[in-house]
């Protein structure tokens, strides 16, 4: 992976590491919401929710558009699929490594049955 790709992966996982941001993702994937409507759901200030939305937007997980005075946020399904694909690749990598460890253990001549 290039440095840019690694930075993108870091941004994605950082964005999804927070419970509130994951909930915002679920809500915006289900449909477009104004940032002010999103903020009503959480026990925090509008500014705090807006910061969470900015983190998700910078990671490419949501998009925002203006409609009059409101900012409308939508989850990006393609970005979520890219995260799922990355996790799938990591799963395959670790399954392969575990299988190789199992093979090494099975072929160890010092192992007692």
């Amino acid at each position: 992976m290039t440095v840019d790709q690694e930075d993108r992966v870091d941004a994605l996982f950082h964005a999804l590491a927070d419970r509130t941001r994951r909930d915002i993702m679920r809500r915006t994937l289900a449909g477009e919401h104004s940032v002010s409507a999103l903020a009503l759901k959480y026990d925090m200030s509008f500014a705090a929710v807006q910061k969470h939305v900015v983190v998700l937007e910078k990671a490419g997980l949501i998009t925002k558009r203006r409609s009059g005075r409101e900012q409308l946020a939508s989850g990006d399904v393609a970005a979520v699929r890219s995260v799922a694909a990355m996790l799938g690749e990591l799963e395959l990598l670790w399954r392969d490594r575990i299988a190789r460890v199992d093979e090494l253990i099975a072929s160890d001549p010092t192992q007692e049955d």
Side-chain angles (χ1 to χ4, degrees):
M1 256 191 228
T2 68
V3 172
D4 287 342
Q5 290 170 323
E6 290 289 345
D7 289 345
R8 168 115 168 94
V9 171
D10 287 348
L12 288 168
F13 284 102
H14 168 73
L16 294 172
D18 183 85
R19 176 182 306 168
T20 300
R21 289 193 289 266
R22 288 191 306 272
D23 190 60
I24 290 170
M25 275 305 305
R26 280 189 286 276
R27 294 177 68 206
T28 58
L29 284 168
E32 190 174 60
H33 293 275
S34 70
V35 176
S36 56
L38 288 169
L40 293 174
K41 166 99 166 94
Y42 306 103
D43 189 25
M44 61 181 74
S45 68
F46 172 81
V49 172
Q50 193 170 28
K51 286 180 183 179
H52 283 300
V53 170
V54 167
V55 170
L56 291 165
E57 185 180 27
K58 284 183 179 178
L61 291 165
I62 66 169
T63 58
K64 284 191 316 191
R65 69 177 183 89
R66 279 217 170 276
S67 177
R69 291 178 33 166
E70 290 188 311
Q71 293 181 31
L72 301 174
S74 298
D76 186 332
V77 174
V80 173
R81 285 188 181 130
S82 74
V83 172
M86 279 186 271
L87 290 173
E89 290 171 16
L90 288 173
E91 179 185 6
L92 290 174
L93 174 80
W94 281 104
R95 285 183 184 271
D96 182 52
R97 288 181 179 179
I98 291 168
R100 283 188 278 158
V101 168
D102 287 345
E103 288 171 11
L104 287 171
I105 291 170
S107 66
D108 184 359
T110 62
Q111 180 182 354
E112 293 182 21
D113 290 322

